[in-house]
Amino acid sequence: MTAQIDPNGPRLVSVPSNPVPEGAQVGYFTTTDRVRLRYARWLRSEGPQRGTVCLVQGRTEYIEKYFETVADFRRRGFAVATFDWRGQGGSDRLIGDRTVGYVDRFDDYWTDLRSFHADILLPDCLGPFYLVGHSMGGLASLSAATRDRMMFDRAFLCAPMVGLHGMEDSLGRTAVIAETASFLGLGKVPFKRRADRRPDEAMFPDNPLTSDLLRYKRMVDTVRADDGLYLGSPSFRWLAAAMRAMLETRQERFPSEIRIPLLILAAARDRIVSTPAIEHLGLRLRTGRHMVIAGARHEMFMESDTIRGQVLAAFDAFITQQSS
C-alpha cells in the first residue's frame, strides 16, 4: 500500500516488509536552480540528542530504501534527514523518459545538497550535522567535503563511487565517448545495461547488491508498490558527468582538499564500484581513513545482519562515540 503522510504533500511508500518509521515529516523543497526535491526527516527515537544524520543515497535509490537504517540511527540518538536527488525517487525527473537517469553536470548534486542544508537542515534540524553517503551519494559527499568544512562535522561513506568495478583504467575513455555522444545530441539517450532492469526475486542469486534475501525482496516489494520510484539506465550525459567527477578524485591534490574528518568503508565483494579505487583514495587521505568489510557486496546498509553489524560498529566508533 502507499501511505499518505501529508494529504497535500509528497508520499512515502509503505509495504508490510518495509513500513514507514513512525514520526516521519515529509515535504518538498526547491533548489536554488528551481528543481523540486522530496525530503523526509525524523526526530531521534531513543537516547540523548546527538545531532542529525544527513543521509544521501546512491544512483537509482529513494528514501524508502533506507527505512531500516533510519531506525538504526534514531535508536542511537540521532535525528535523520534525507532527500531524493534530482532525477530519481520522488523528486523531479529531468527528462521525458522518467526511467532514464539524467543530470546536466555532477555539480548539480552539490546544488541539491547545499540547498537541503540551507533550507531543511539549518532551520529545522538540531546540530551537529553528520553526512552519511552511499555510492553516488558518497562521491557527492566527497565533493562537498572539499568545498565547505562548516556544513558537516564528519562524513561516513559506504562504497563511494570513486571508480567503477572493472573500469579502473577506462574512465577517461568512457568519459570522452559519453561526452561525444552528448555533443551529438544523444545526451538524453539511455546507456542501456542488463543490470538496470526492474528488480525481481528471480534476479537475487546473482545480484551484486546484497547477500540478504529478505532485504532484497523488501526492495522488490517497495518498487512494485510504486513503480514511479524505479530508475533504470543512466543517460550518456549522466555518464559523462559521473566519469569526470570520479576522475577528479584521482587528482594528486584531491585528498588534501578534503576538509572534514572522514571514514570510508569499502565492500570486499563489490561488483558495482571499484574497491581498489576506494583503497587508493583511502591511503592518500589526510583527514580520514578507510577500511574494507570482508564478504560485503555493494549495498552494505542492505546486507546481512553480520555485515550490517560491522558497518554500524564502524559508524558508532567514528560518529556516535565522538558525539557524546
Side-chain angles (χ1 to χ4, degrees):
M1 66 181 250
T2 297
Q4 201 64 36
I5 304 301
D6 175 357
N8 300 313
R11 56 194 174 85
L12 292 175
V13 176
S14 184
V15 295
S17 60
N18 192 44
V20 178
E22 184 178 352
Q25 300 180 45
V26 191
Y28 290 118
F29 71 99
T30 303
T31 65
T32 54
D33 60 345
R34 304 185 65 79
V35 179
R36 189 181 68 166
L37 306 184
R38 182 181 68 155
Y39 78 93
R41 63 187 183 94
W42 289 264
L43 299 176
R44 77 186 192 280
S45 59
E46 299 176 29
Q49 174 59 249
R50 298 184 185 277
T52 299
V53 167
C54 175
L55 178 59
V56 293
Q57 317 149 10
R59 194 190 84 82
T60 79
E61 294 188 324
Y62 40 85
I63 293 169
E64 289 87 346
K65 197 168 177 177
Y66 286 87
F67 284 167
E68 182 182 18
T69 303
V70 166
D72 291 327
F73 292 149
R74 294 177 71 206
R75 282 193 294 269
R76 286 162 165 78
F78 295 97
V80 180
T82 185
F83 66 95
D84 292 331
W85 297 112
R86 66 181 63 206
Q88 63 188 60
S91 293
D92 282 351
R93 302 293 173 104
L94 305 177
I95 59 177
D97 189 342
R98 289 178 49 86
T99 68
V100 176
Y102 181 87
V103 71
D104 287 326
R105 307 170 305 148
F106 203 84
D107 272 2
D108 290 343
Y109 295 127
W110 163 243
T111 299
D112 292 351
L113 182 58
R114 184 177 53 187
S115 298
F116 184 66
H117 185 273
D119 293 349
I120 305 300
L121 288 181
L122 285 178
D124 297 331
C125 302
L126 293 175
F129 302 129
Y130 302 102
L131 184 59
V132 175
H134 167 67
S135 197
M136 186 193 80
L139 179 58
S141 298
L142 283 167
S143 177
T146 67
R147 298 176 188 237
D148 191 338
R149 66 182 180 86
M150 303 301 293
M151 288 175 66
F152 300 100
D153 279 40
R154 291 180 171 232
F156 180 84
L157 310 183
C158 286
M161 191 182 73
V162 297
L164 298 180
H165 176 71
M167 295 181 60
E168 286 81 3
D169 298 323
S170 59
L171 292 183
R173 292 194 299 274
T174 305
V176 170
I177 292 170
E179 287 166 346
T180 301
S182 299
F183 178 77
L184 294 174
L186 303 177
K188 298 178 181 179
V189 172
F191 178 77
K192 292 189 175 181
R193 307 174 304 172
R194 186 170 179 271
D196 294 319
R197 295 177 300 165
R198 282 172 173 78
D200 184 270
E201 291 94 335
M203 297 165 60
F204 174 75
D206 191 43
N207 90 89
L209 304 179
T210 174
S211 62
D212 190 281
L213 176 59
L214 292 180
R215 290 186 173 98
Y216 187 86
K217 290 179 67 175
R218 185 176 65 195
M219 177 179 65
V220 172
D221 292 343
T222 302
V223 173
R224 278 183 179 159
D226 186 348
D227 192 62
L229 294 176
Y230 169 71
L231 185 68
S233 299
S235 64
F236 278 101
R237 183 64 238 157
W238 183 92
L239 195 65
M243 293 294 158
R244 289 300 176 193
M246 285 185 270
L247 287 168
E248 180 69 15
T249 68
R250 297 186 176 185
Q251 298 299 314
E252 192 65 31
R253 57 175 168 72
F254 186 82
S256 64
E257 293 178 348
I258 296 175
R259 302 177 182 182
I260 60 174
L262 176 70
L263 177 62
I264 299 178
L265 303 189
R269 298 179 61 195
D270 206 322
R271 290 187 286 143
I272 303 290
V273 305
S274 170
T275 295
I278 294 173
E279 292 183 283
H280 180 66
L281 174 62
L283 291 171
R284 297 184 293 137
L285 291 174
R286 297 186 181 183
T287 60
R289 58 192 178 90
H290 79 286
M291 58 187 295
V292 179
I293 305 297
R297 300 187 198 182
H298 180 61
E299 295 192 355
M300 287 179 273
F301 283 123
M302 316 296 165
E303 261 287 7
S304 65
D305 289 345
T306 298
I307 291 172
R308 289 187 86 253
Q310 295 177 64
V311 173
L312 292 170
F315 175 86
D316 287 339
F318 185 64
I319 292 184
T320 306
Q321 294 170 16
Q322 302 302 318
S323 65
S324 301

